[in-house]
């Protein structure tokens, strides 16, 4: 076969897409980027009610302060706070037949679809979250897209453990781990970046959310009688001043 004939033969094997097919590919790629990275316009959070800010400032003044976070206990295990997202605790909203993760998704995500799951008969199947840590939208789809949205403990469990929760009984730790006031749905990347860091080492990327973050962090510490490390108290104080 001559070169020209082989070249012509290869060209006829190429798949030609219609304009509609190209448009579908572009839309699919854009959605994939949003799911993976939370790309989109930044949405600013709603102002924190003045009464909540005032209460947090009073609680802040009453927190017990220690010089630094103690060295982390290498023996710490997540299981010390009970089964992940169990519905069987004394936390607000518990005992409603749905696991805590689905309760928080239903609260924070703009839900567009529901399904039945083994841990919740009305589990969130699809929706969009504006991550409070970035202000950007994240698409949620149960299955492959589930990890795009994760549930963060504002006061990390291992931080609570280091600051005194290691001495609590099992029921109190399980309630703490499933308390809605200490939980927020966020983009997966932010949750992984934060890990178990305290405010002195990590604050949300979206600076306008620092007020809300500090209000919730301080409120949870005060509710459970946990102290704060001195560097984090400084960081939280600055955030409360921004309210």
């Amino acid at each position: 076969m001559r070169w020209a004939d082989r070249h012509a033969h290869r060209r006829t094997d190429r798949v030609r897409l219609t304009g509609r097919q190209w448009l579908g590919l572009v839309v699919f790629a854009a959605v994939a980027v949003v799911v993976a990275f939370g790309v989109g316009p930044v949405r600013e959070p709603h102002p924190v009610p003045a009464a909540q800010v005032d209460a947090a400032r009073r609680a802040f003044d009453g927190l017990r302060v220690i010089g630094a976070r103690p060295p982390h206990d290498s023996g710490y295990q997540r299981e010390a706070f009970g089964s992940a997202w169990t519905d069987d605790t004394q936390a607000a909203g518990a005992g409603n037949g749905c696991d805590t993760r689905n309760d928080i998704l239903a609260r924070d995500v703009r839900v567009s679809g529901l399904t039945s799951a083994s841990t919740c008969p009305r589990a969130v199947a699809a929706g969009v979250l504006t991550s409070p840590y970035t202000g950007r939208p994240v698409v949620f789809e149960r299955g492959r897209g589930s990890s795009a949205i994760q549930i963060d403990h504002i006061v990390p469990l291992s931080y609570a453990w280091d600051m005194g929760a290691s001495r609590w009984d099992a029921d109190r730790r399980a309630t703490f781990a499933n308390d809605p006031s200490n939980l927020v749905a966020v983009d997966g990347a932010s949750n992984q970046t934060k890990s178990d860091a305290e405010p002195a080492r990590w604050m949300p990327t979206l600076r306008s959310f620092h007020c809300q973050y500090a209000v919730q962090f301080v409120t949870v510490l005060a509710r459970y009688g946990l102290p704060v490390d001195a560097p984090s108290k400084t960081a939280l104080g600055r955030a409360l001043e921004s309210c």
Side-chain angles (χ1 to χ4, degrees):
M1 183 182 291
R2 293 178 301 174
W3 179 87
D5 292 335
R6 291 198 303 269
H7 185 62
H9 179 70
R10 284 199 298 269
R11 284 185 299 178
T12 59
D13 287 341
R14 293 176 181 172
V15 176
R16 297 182 180 277
L17 298 179
T18 66
R20 178 171 293 181
Q21 287 171 323
W22 276 111
L23 178 60
L25 284 174
V26 170
V27 171
F28 175 82
V31 170
V33 169
V34 169
V35 168
F37 301 107
V39 175
V42 172
R43 292 186 60 181
E44 297 296 333
H46 296 296
V48 182
Q52 290 184 22
V53 174
D54 290 342
R57 285 174 173 160
R58 290 192 298 271
F60 177 79
D61 291 336
L63 290 177
R64 181 166 62 89
V65 183
I66 62 176
R69 178 176 179 174
H72 183 55
D73 179 2
S74 60
Y76 162 76
Q77 297 290 330
R78 168 62 178 84
E79 291 75 15
F81 287 84
S83 300
W85 311 131
T86 176
D87 188 41
D88 185 19
T89 72
Q90 297 302 310
N96 64 355
C98 278
D99 61 285
T100 305
R101 174 176 166 79
N102 273 292
D103 285 341
I104 301 303
L105 288 175
R107 184 194 70 185
D108 294 352
V109 172
R110 296 197 304 276
V111 178
S112 59
L114 296 172
T115 189
S116 179
S118 60
T119 57
C120 182
R122 53 188 183 283
V124 176
V128 177
L129 168 77
T130 298
S131 175
Y133 288 174
T134 65
R136 297 186 182 279
V138 184
V139 174
F140 175 82
E141 185 175 351
R142 182 169 293 274
R144 283 188 176 183
S146 293
S147 63
I149 295 177
Q150 299 177 12
I151 309 302
D152 181 42
H153 291 93
I154 291 178
V155 177
L157 298 185
S158 68
Y159 178 78
W161 178 270
D162 293 343
M163 303 300 277
S166 60
R167 297 186 292 275
W168 295 350
D169 62 35
D171 288 343
R172 184 171 178 80
R173 286 198 293 264
T175 296
F176 179 87
N178 292 276
D179 188 336
S181 68
N182 191 35
L183 298 172
V184 62
V186 302
D187 63 290
S190 291
N191 192 41
Q192 296 303 310
T193 299
K194 175 187 173 181
S195 185
D196 68 345
E198 66 272 22
R201 294 191 295 137
W202 188 93
M203 289 290 284
T205 301
L206 186 64
R207 295 187 65 85
S208 53
F209 189 70
H210 285 193
C211 170
Q212 177 71 54
Y213 189 80
V215 165
Q216 290 186 245
F217 205 103
V218 168
T219 300
V220 170
L221 291 182
R223 177 175 298 165
Y224 287 88
L226 291 170
V228 64
D229 62 286
S232 290
K233 186 173 186 186
T234 298
L236 292 168
R238 285 196 300 265
L240 289 174
E241 288 174 0
S242 72
C243 293

